Amino acid sequence: MSANLPAADASAPAHRDPQPGPSEHLGYTAARGSRQLLTEEEAQHILRSYNLRLRSLQRIPRGTINTNFRVDTDAGPAFLRINEGKTEDEVRFESELIWHLGSRGFLTPQLWRTRASEPYVMWRRSPHAAAQPVMLMTWIAAHELTEHELTDSHAFLAGVLLGQLHLCTAGFTLTRPGIYTVARIKDRLQRLLRDVRAVAVAGPLLSDLQNQLQEVGATRRRDLPGGIGHGDLFPDNLLFARRQAGRPGQPHDAVFSLGPLGWILDLEQAAALPFIYDVAVALLSFCAPVAAPWAL
């Protein structure tokens, strides 16, 4: 995702552009068609739980799973997320992790607490609708970079933040399995192999993946350092300050003399994993060669 949000001087936590059809996410699914716009009256009803008054409401048209808004309140701007299709336990896990990281000074948008000191509001659009957890987060005055805008200094900063995340989650007592374990991937692959249409389109690829899974299951090490990791650290899950994070020829560690430059977002896929998995994802997303725009 490359477009900046429509705010003049800031961007909100961002997510991937929606893809057609349902998206699996930690055991639940959410379809694009299930999303609905939030009215100002509904937003004000939610904000009452935070003792805030709404001044303006703006939809952020991003996100594979959630529905996101910028809300300008009498206390300033905030980021409002309607958690689509998630269980309350899933949202509470993320909430506890955000608070744990914030207490250790980690740079991730923090949650507002309700008047009842809860991390979210259980909101119903109508008396007969299912309740949805709604979270309110601090608005970060930063922006998302495209892959073509990333520099070596940005990649260095992403690695530092990831390392800090792993260190800060060391004392977190809650845990849960992720959606990218070998067992989960094997289950997805078996479902595709039973799908006649999938086999017709990608039969050889599916067979190759099956062979690779068998090899991974037989050879992978199980004694690698691990803990609660991000699980989804791509450029659209990082915000950078608008000032340049380093100049050509400048030592990488010099970027920190300017203060905080980056924030990690979207901990909703955070789970127990080998830390090397997070490193591999970050290397792929921040350091792999990117095709020239005309080649795309």
Side-chain angles (χ1 to χ4, degrees), residues 188-253:
R188 294 183 190 183
L189 183 58
Q190 291 302 316
R191 279 183 278 151
L192 288 171
L193 288 168
R194 293 192 295 267
D195 187 324
V196 176
R197 294 172 300 174
V199 172
V201 172
L205 175 60
L206 296 178
S207 297
D208 185 45
L209 289 174
Q210 191 173 34
N211 293 333
Q212 290 189 38
L213 271 178
Q214 291 174 351
E215 182 180 352
V216 167
T219 61
R220 70 188 180 109
R221 291 181 54 177
R222 302 175 185 274
D223 59 344
L224 297 173
I228 299 298
H230 189 281
D232 194 35
L233 190 60
F234 287 85
D236 60 354
N237 282 334
L238 261 175
L239 292 181
F240 293 94
R242 289 194 176 275
R243 57 183 177 270
Q244 180 67 29
R247 298 185 299 274
Q250 184 182 29
H252 287 313
D253 56 5

Side-chain angles (χ1 to χ4, degrees), residues 8-296:
D9 60 350
S11 294
H15 303 263
R16 285 183 185 75
D17 292 327
Q19 300 296 323
S23 302
E24 187 182 65
H25 188 284
L26 289 175
Y28 60 82
T29 59
R32 292 179 65 186
S34 66
R35 302 186 191 186
Q36 301 181 58
L37 293 177
L38 189 71
T39 67
E40 290 191 356
E41 182 179 0
E42 290 167 335
Q44 180 59 75
H45 176 75
I46 293 169
L47 291 176
R48 286 195 190 101
S49 296
Y50 297 91
N51 205 25
L52 295 173
R53 292 184 179 181
L54 179 70
R55 296 189 185 278
S56 66
L57 174 70
Q58 183 180 21
R59 172 76 186 276
I60 301 173
R62 301 188 182 191
T64 304
I65 298 295
N66 306 304
T67 308
N68 306 312
F69 299 87
R70 170 175 170 147
V71 288
D72 286 289
T73 75
D74 53 348
F79 177 77
L80 187 147
R81 178 212 280 177
I82 301 176
N83 292 280
E84 305 282 3
K86 299 179 187 176
T87 68
E88 192 170 353
D89 285 343
E90 289 166 340
V91 176
R92 187 167 290 278
F93 178 92
E94 183 185 2
S95 302
E96 295 289 346
L97 179 57
I98 290 172
W99 282 347
H100 173 88
L101 293 172
S103 70
R104 283 149 179 80
F106 184 74
L107 295 175
T108 190
Q110 287 299 300
L111 287 169
W112 282 68
R113 291 177 182 260
T114 68
R115 290 181 296 178
S117 197
E118 288 294 325
Y120 51 83
V121 175
M122 293 303 294
W123 172 72
R124 296 178 186 271
R125 182 172 296 278
S126 67
H128 303 292
Q132 295 174 280
V134 178
M135 305 164 87
L136 192 69
M137 301 182 186
T138 54
W139 184 269
I140 302 299
H143 70 300
E144 174 189 321
L145 295 180
T146 67
E147 291 179 331
H148 295 280
E149 293 173 318
L150 293 171
T151 67
D152 288 350
S153 293
H154 292 121
F156 174 79
L157 182 58
V160 170
L161 290 172
L162 182 60
Q164 291 175 346
L165 172 67
H166 291 164
L167 290 172
C168 289
T169 59
F172 190 57
T173 58
L174 301 180
T175 188
R176 66 180 178 186
I179 65 173
Y180 301 121
T181 62
V182 172
R184 290 290 295 273
I185 295 174
K186 185 179 297 184
D187 178 66
R188 294 183 190 183
L189 183 58
Q190 291 302 316
R191 279 183 278 151
L192 288 171
L193 288 168
R194 293 192 295 267
D195 187 324
V196 176
R197 294 172 300 174
V199 172
V201 172
L205 175 60
L206 296 178
S207 297
D208 185 45
L209 289 174
Q210 191 173 34
N211 293 333
Q212 290 189 38
L213 271 178
Q214 291 174 351
E215 182 180 352
V216 167
T219 61
R220 70 188 180 109
R221 291 181 54 177
R222 302 175 185 274
D223 59 344
L224 297 173
I228 299 298
H230 189 281
D232 194 35
L233 190 60
F234 287 85
D236 60 354
N237 282 334
L238 261 175
L239 292 181
F240 293 94
R242 289 194 176 275
R243 57 183 177 270
Q244 180 67 29
R247 298 185 299 274
Q250 184 182 29
H252 287 313
D253 56 5
V255 301
F256 298 104
S257 64
L258 298 175
L261 291 172
W263 292 260
I264 284 184
L265 315 175
D266 288 351
L267 294 161
E268 56 190 343
Q269 289 193 27
L273 48 77
F275 289 143
I276 193 65
Y277 178 87
D278 262 352
V279 174
V281 171
L283 284 172
L284 175 66
S285 58
F286 287 92
C287 301
V290 179
W294 58 265
L296 299 177

